[in-house]
Amino acid sequence: MYTQALNEAVERPRVVEDPEKLAAFQARIDAEEKIEPNDWMPEAYRRTLIRQISQHAHSEVVGMLPEGNWLTRAPSLKRKAALLAKIQDEGGHGLYLYAAAETLGVSREELYEQLLAGKAKYSSIFNYPTLTWADIGCIGWLVDGAAIMNQIPLCRTSYGPYARAMIRICKEESFHQRQGYEIMLTLCRGTPEQKAMAQDALNRWWWPALMMFGPPDSESVHTEQSMRWKIKRFTNDELRQKFVDATVPQAHYLGLTIPDPELRYDEATGHWRYGKIDWEEFKRVIAGFGPCNRERLEAKRKAHEEGRWVREAALAYAAKQRARAMAQKIAAE
Amino acid sequence: MTTIHIEETPHLCAVLRLADTSLVLAHRLSEWCGHAPMLEEDLALANIALDLLGQARLLYQHAAELEGKGRTEDDFAYLRDAPQFRNYLIAELPRGDFAFTIVRQTLVSAFFHPFWQRAAGSRDATLAAIAAKAEKEVAYHLRHCGAWLVRLGDGTEESHRRTLAALDALWPYTGELFEVDAVGRAMIDAGVLPDPETIRPVFEATVDRLLREATLPKPPATWMHSGGLRGVHTEHLGHMLAVMQHLQRAYPGAVW
Amino acid sequence: MAEQSMPLWEVFIRARTGLAHRHVGSVHAADAEMALQAARDTYTRRGEAVSIWVVPSAAIVASDPAEKASLFEPTASKIYRHPSFYEIPEEVGHM
């Protein structure tokens, strides 16, 4: 998902936790109590959360770019307004999430520096290009659809600030997927060229969308601990299956073909069984070798560098104002 | 669809001038989305762009009613070529650096805030309603961009230099805001739109106050650009429209 | 070199007149005016507010969760503070 790289093994913290405190902490989690910023928490819990929330935040802000690519070419004023509002929401969601991460004792600047330095991960999906207008439809329908699958259970995640940010995000995102599906529907009911555009976009976005849920459970390193801490409530494969089951009928309604020759309905279980995912591609894109990794980070670095003088000016002005207020106070005394 | 031909009555032309200005400005602001100096500003600029886009849509819908030929807002936005656009030139200049965007938005808002205030009393009831809505929106744009102008002007040496450069580049485009041609005169006489001369003192006072706070010198009286209102634009508008209208032009008649 | 960080502000929103301000999140801004505007642009995009407060995060003093027991548990025994502690005959009516 937006935090799929969490599934990679990382160095375990060397802190030895007090077993009594650990047990009390686990008891609180088991009792469905929310953990709040100043509460005692195991170092590994804090670190997992910082990584997960910041990856999620990075995904939101990098995710502004592929859609932003079509902002100036949106084909109607209504679509332009909806797309701008949607991308703006994503920025807002990034902001809520950075704010949640900051309650764990890291600064946004620090997290953002990690992103720009290429040291932090974000969702692999945003390293794919948006080549036609139908890609905007597909992103809303599939990418936001997959994100919602993941985010709804996160509203109940054990860390209070994260859960509250997710509730806000889910509420605001409810229009995003509908926006995308409506674009697809309009294309599929349009000219043959438009329908072909829709099919082409689905062909390119389907597999990357399935990869958003992260590696299969059998290869996922952190799932078990994250489940025990109730940071995560469903496994990658469970969520992926839910997504496929929900999405296949939607594609059929559009009259589009899912680009998976092995896709078939399993009467016994009521699930859609899908073919093999190319995990080599997934690993490659996560490792930085997707079609647009370089461009995405470059765009963010450029904006950050070009904005430096603006941030410096704002801080310098604030410092001057404080000094002026101080001087006035002294003069008055 | 090929380019449409509009028979502009003075009233229709006047509404298109406002609609085009809002749309073109919104488009320029939207170019910042994802690239602003900080995340908070991504949201702020997008909010302003959405306000302006909303104004443009209402104004195009009104233009369609005035024309009475069953056209839509999108026909006006996507199927006219640059010479048919009626926006003020200041709106179409490329977004530039953050100082350029802030100075432009401040100057335009300093004009349009009192403009919409007065237009809220228009004899054209639809326009009056749009103006009443726009006035509140632009009041906030002025507050936000004015606050930035002061901070950039009185911030660091670099921010001061950049803001001054933007002001010098943009000031010669402010004269057009006060131009009154035959269309403008007809609208003033009919009580549809305010006389820009009545707006000048408010505009000047706002600009003077902000520049003083920003420690920026007021640009000297200079030669002023003109042409947008009659469709004689800068080189930039054509490029902007080529991008904006791309899909509508590439797939004529398609519904999106 | 890491750049100087933008101060953090906590944001409180009054959703409707008559309600108290409620904490909704935080923003970064160099000064109070910009913080207020950032809060408006971030947390009220769907008409969620009639009033906003922003407070420097550093100005908030919080109780220590470890002292939860000593701070909050002693009140549990003061049952005479609750109306149900007192018995009033039903004939008296609502009180």
Side-chain angles (χ1 to χ4, degrees):
Chain A
M1 190 40 60
Y2 283 6
T3 55
Q4 61 203 170
L6 267 188
N7 299 292
E8 293 174 350
V10 286
E11 205 183 321
R12 291 273 167 196
R14 300 224 170 76
V15 188
V16 180
E17 305 281 8
D18 177 349
E20 225 171 277
K21 280 186 172 173
L22 265 181
F25 179 79
Q26 190 61 49
R28 290 188 64 191
I29 300 268
D30 294 343
E32 296 287 334
E33 253 187 67
K34 290 274 183 267
I35 308 301
E36 293 296 338
N38 293 332
D39 292 350
W40 184 87
M41 59 185 84
E43 199 45 38
Y45 178 84
R46 180 188 301 276
R47 287 171 48 140
T48 304
L49 274 174
I50 289 175
R51 264 157 39 87
Q52 172 157 343
I53 301 172
S54 60
Q55 281 184 16
H56 197 157
H58 297 331
S59 299
E60 296 281 357
V61 300
V62 176
M64 298 170 81
L65 298 172
E67 288 176 288
N69 183 38
W70 280 89
L71 206 40
T72 54
R73 291 176 289 172
S76 75
L77 297 181
K78 178 183 122 181
R79 296 280 181 226
K80 200 181 184 72
L83 185 60
L84 180 53
K86 177 180 188 288
I87 302 174
Q88 184 202 36
D89 274 352
E90 278 148 19
H93 298 167
L95 203 154
Y96 304 160
L97 288 162
Y98 282 125
E102 289 189 279
T103 64
L104 291 158
V106 280
S107 69
R108 190 204 297 179
E109 282 87 358
E110 209 178 314
L111 297 172
Y112 207 64
E113 288 295 332
Q114 289 170 5
L115 171 71
L116 298 184
K119 288 186 215 148
K121 305 286 192 214
Y122 57 87
S123 181
S124 58
I125 195 82
F126 301 119
N127 291 317
Y128 291 88
T130 50
L131 303 179
T132 71
W133 174 249
D135 291 37
I136 299 306
C138 264
I139 288 185
W141 171 37
L142 300 177
V143 176
D144 287 276
I148 289 166
M149 283 286 165
N150 182 55
Q151 290 176 167
I152 286 173
L154 280 176
C155 294
R156 295 188 297 126
T157 194
S158 61
Y159 187 58
Y162 192 22
R164 290 192 287 276
M166 290 317 304
I167 289 169
R168 208 182 168 86
I169 289 171
C170 285
K171 214 162 79 185
E172 295 188 354
E173 280 204 344
S174 52
F175 93 83
H176 293 184
Q177 193 186 14
R178 294 168 70 96
Q179 177 257 173
Y181 195 73
E182 197 194 82
I183 289 174
M184 295 302 283
L185 201 55
T186 309
L187 292 173
C188 292
R189 288 174 175 170
T191 65
E193 284 161 308
Q194 285 176 301
K195 177 108 187 235
M197 199 185 268
Q199 180 65 56
D200 164 66
L202 176 60
N203 293 349
R204 284 181 289 109
W205 288 94
W206 174 253
W207 292 107
L210 293 194
M211 292 175 200
M212 284 178 69
F213 296 92
D217 296 348
S218 54
E219 287 173 34
S220 180
V221 184
H222 284 190
T223 296
E224 204 186 317
Q225 180 61 73
S226 285
M227 300 275 279
R228 200 158 48 236
W229 279 334
K230 300 194 176 172
I231 293 174
K232 208 169 164 172
R233 297 213 171 228
F234 293 98
T235 69
N236 296 350
D237 286 334
E238 282 167 357
L239 288 169
R240 187 166 15 244
Q241 186 62 56
K242 262 174 89 149
F243 173 73
V244 172
D245 290 342
T247 309
V248 170
Q250 293 165 358
H252 291 162
Y253 184 81
L254 292 173
L256 295 178
T257 309
I258 302 269
D260 178 358
E262 289 172 53
L263 187 79
R264 61 176 181 84
Y265 187 67
D266 182 350
E267 291 283 352
T269 59
H271 290 304
W272 284 93
R273 296 297 174 203
Y274 49 91
K276 203 171 161 332
I277 295 171
D278 180 358
W279 291 114
E280 287 313 308
E281 174 179 328
F282 171 75
K283 284 178 197 153
R284 204 169 57 235
V285 177
I286 281 280
F289 301 99
C292 300
N293 296 56
R294 192 177 292 268
E295 284 95 329
R296 298 293 183 247
L297 276 191
E298 221 22 74
K300 280 292 165 194
R301 273 189 211 121
K302 184 164 179 281
H304 193 69
E305 278 312 310
E306 288 177 355
R308 189 180 298 277
W309 68 268
V310 177
R311 298 188 298 275
E312 284 170 357
L315 288 165
Y317 177 80
K320 281 189 203 174
Q321 287 294 88
R322 277 195 302 275
R324 284 170 194 148
M326 189 65 83
Q328 259 184 353
K329 209 175 139 204
I330 290 166
E333 274 167 8
Chain B
M1 195 73 68
T2 49
T3 297
I4 57 174
H5 176 72
I6 309 287
E7 280 187 37
E8 288 176 7
T9 62
H11 199 152
L12 179 56
C13 178
V15 171
L16 284 176
R17 287 174 178 180
L18 296 170
D20 291 342
T21 299
S22 295
L23 174 63
V24 171
L25 263 177
H27 188 98
R28 287 304 189 202
L29 282 170
S30 77
E31 292 171 355
W32 278 100
C33 192
H35 308 279
M38 54 191 287
L39 200 42
E40 279 77 358
E41 206 46 37
D42 266 314
L43 301 193
L45 293 177
N47 269 345
I48 298 177
L50 284 168
D51 285 343
L52 292 168
L53 192 51
Q55 291 168 16
R57 294 181 64 186
L58 292 172
L59 289 161
Y60 283 131
Q61 288 159 18
H62 186 40
E65 281 165 15
L66 288 173
E67 195 200 20
K69 291 188 179 163
R71 284 196 229 276
T72 67
E73 55 181 32
D74 289 333
D75 293 339
F76 287 103
Y78 289 90
L79 301 179
R80 287 177 305 146
D81 201 0
Q84 293 168 282
F85 267 71
R86 299 280 173 259
N87 59 280
Y88 295 105
L89 298 176
I90 194 169
E92 71 200 45
L93 303 173
R95 75 166 160 98
D97 65 4
F98 188 69
F100 192 88
T101 287
I102 288 297
V103 172
R104 164 169 47 199
Q105 209 59 42
T106 305
L107 292 172
V108 170
S109 304
F111 175 82
F112 272 103
H113 182 241
F115 178 89
W116 289 124
Q117 263 179 336
R118 283 160 182 74
S122 170
R123 292 217 183 116
D124 174 339
T126 308
L127 200 58
I130 296 170
K133 178 173 177 290
E135 183 221 320
K136 295 191 226 48
E137 293 168 344
V138 177
Y140 184 76
H141 305 170
L142 183 57
R143 176 175 170 174
H144 184 72
C145 296
W148 265 120
L149 181 73
V150 169
R151 279 151 185 78
L152 297 182
D154 191 16
T156 62
E157 218 172 285
E158 179 178 9
S159 70
H160 183 87
R161 174 173 55 73
R162 284 174 180 269
T163 312
L164 191 56
L167 185 63
D168 282 342
L170 281 156
W171 190 253
Y173 290 92
T174 55
E176 200 185 14
L177 298 169
F178 298 95
E179 262 180 37
V180 178
D181 60 1
V183 167
R185 180 51 56 202
M187 290 300 97
I188 294 163
D189 292 345
V192 172
L193 287 176
D195 184 343
E197 269 321 302
T198 67
I199 290 162
R200 196 187 290 273
V202 189
F203 172 81
E204 295 279 344
T206 306
V207 170
D208 289 353
R209 172 177 61 79
L210 288 172
L211 291 182
R212 203 165 43 242
E213 266 194 76
T215 68
L216 292 164
K218 176 107 178 257
T222 177
W223 173 80
M224 291 285 177
H225 290 272
S226 165
L229 300 183
R230 52 179 198 282
V232 181
H233 289 277
T234 66
E235 290 177 343
H236 308 292
L237 184 67
H239 290 281
M240 194 199 104
L241 295 184
V243 171
M244 189 180 94
Q245 299 178 338
H246 153 69
L247 278 173
Q248 291 270 358
R249 300 294 194 174
Y251 301 91
V255 176
W256 300 93
Chain C
M1 196 191 74
E3 68 177 71
Q4 195 193 343
S5 62
M6 279 277 164
L8 188 64
W9 305 73
E10 298 302 320
V11 180
F12 299 82
I13 297 280
R14 186 201 295 286
R16 287 195 310 277
T17 49
L19 294 182
H21 285 77
R22 201 164 72 95
H23 183 248
V24 290
S26 58
V27 292
H28 284 265
D31 59 53
E33 169 65 14
M34 295 319 263
L36 199 59
Q37 295 190 16
R40 180 260 191 194
D41 283 319
T42 303
Y43 291 100
T44 72
R45 302 199 304 284
R46 288 169 169 78
E48 297 97 330
V50 293
S51 162
I52 306 173
W53 289 348
V54 289
V55 180
S57 303
I60 291 187
V61 182
S63 66
D64 182 351
E67 291 173 342
K68 200 167 78 183
S70 65
L71 285 174
F72 309 117
E73 276 173 27
T75 62
S77 60
K78 316 259 186 327
I79 51 174
Y80 43 80
R81 286 194 191 275
H82 299 280
S84 55
F85 180 74
Y86 304 94
E87 279 183 28
I88 304 287
E90 231 170 77
E91 303 91 278
V92 180
H94 177 73
M95 186 179 280

